[in-house]
């Protein structure tokens, strides 16, 4: 079973462990945390298998057709499955765990290289207005829908 842990960001560095191989260090180790963002690590049997940075109140809604009446949208800014765990259904399960934290809300992820992944897990592709080279993938989890019963959230436990 996968477990998602919401990490506490520090003022000067992102909350991810940079010594863990198999992740893009430019995404997870360079730069400072952004106020209001949520950071998640996903574990299987104590091993970190995926990471995400989420903006729970992105104002990018005007870029996404069909969401212009919304004031905000939950945007997955960065999502990555560790190299050794790709193509093993970890990505789908990890995204489901993250989506469960924002039940009933519109979610989006912009991707220019992982469109096959987002389509494969059932997200709907839309084009960003005026920018056909920036595909966007949207998903809404209906209120009351269940996530895999073997998954659980550990919230606010600090860093990895």
């Amino acid at each position: 079973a996968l477990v998602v842990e919401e990490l506490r960001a520090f003022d000067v560095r992102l909350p991810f462990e940079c010594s863990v191989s198999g992740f893009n260090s430019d995404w997870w180790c360079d730069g400072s945390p952004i106020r209001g963002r949520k950071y998640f690590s996903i574990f299987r049997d104590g091993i970190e298998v995926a990471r995400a940075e989420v903006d729970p109140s992105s104002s990018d809604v005007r870029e996404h057709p069909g969401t212009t009446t919304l004031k905000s949208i939950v945007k997955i800014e960065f999502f990555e499955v560790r190299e050794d765990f790709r193509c093993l259904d970890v990505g789908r399960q990890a995204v489901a765990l993250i989506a469960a934290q924002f039940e009933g809300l519109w979610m989006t992820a912009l991707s220019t290289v992982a469109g096959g992944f987002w389509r494969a897990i059932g997200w709907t592709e839309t084009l960003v207005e005026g920018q056909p080279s920036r595909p966007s993938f949207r998903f809404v989890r209906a209120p009351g829908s269940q996530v895999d019963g073997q998954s659980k959230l550990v919230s606010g436990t600090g860093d990895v």
Side-chain angles (χ1 to χ4, degrees):
L2 296 184
V3 176
V4 62
E5 181 177 326
E6 184 175 341
L7 306 177
R8 185 178 59 238
F10 298 95
D11 291 335
V12 294
R13 70 173 186 86
L14 292 167
F16 299 99
E17 183 59 54
C18 294
S19 65
V20 176
S21 65
F23 290 107
N24 181 338
S25 63
D26 291 342
W27 291 359
W28 310 113
C29 299
D30 296 342
S32 299
I34 297 173
R35 182 181 298 273
R37 296 267 172 95
K38 292 186 176 279
Y39 300 91
F40 298 96
S41 281
I42 294 85
F43 296 88
R44 183 187 333 174
D45 300 324
I47 298 169
E48 187 179 26
V49 296
R51 294 176 173 178
E53 177 180 332
V54 178
D55 182 349
S57 58
S58 174
S59 60
D60 287 354
V61 292
R62 285 181 288 276
E63 293 184 351
H64 308 290
T67 62
T68 54
T69 58
L70 302 174
K71 293 182 181 173
S72 67
I73 193 167
V74 178
K75 183 179 180 183
I76 297 178
E77 295 286 348
F78 295 102
F79 174 77
E80 185 176 21
V81 174
R82 191 172 179 175
E83 286 177 354
D84 294 348
F85 292 89
R86 294 178 186 166
C87 299
L88 299 174
D89 200 37
V90 168
R92 181 192 60 78
Q93 292 177 49
V95 169
L97 284 172
I98 294 165
Q101 309 312 303
F102 306 98
E103 187 175 332
L105 300 177
W106 280 100
M107 295 188 74
T108 188
L110 295 179
S111 179
T112 56
V113 295
F117 166 75
W118 294 104
R119 279 188 292 277
I121 67 169
W123 285 43
T124 302
E125 184 173 1
T126 61
L127 295 177
V128 176
E129 288 180 21
Q131 298 180 36
S133 64
R134 286 184 65 204
S136 170
F137 297 88
R138 294 187 309 174
F139 175 76
V140 64
R141 176 174 288 286
S145 58
Q146 297 293 316
V147 176
D148 175 352
Q150 296 180 340
S151 303
K152 60 182 179 178
L153 169 71
V154 178
S155 181
T157 57
D159 66 18
V160 183

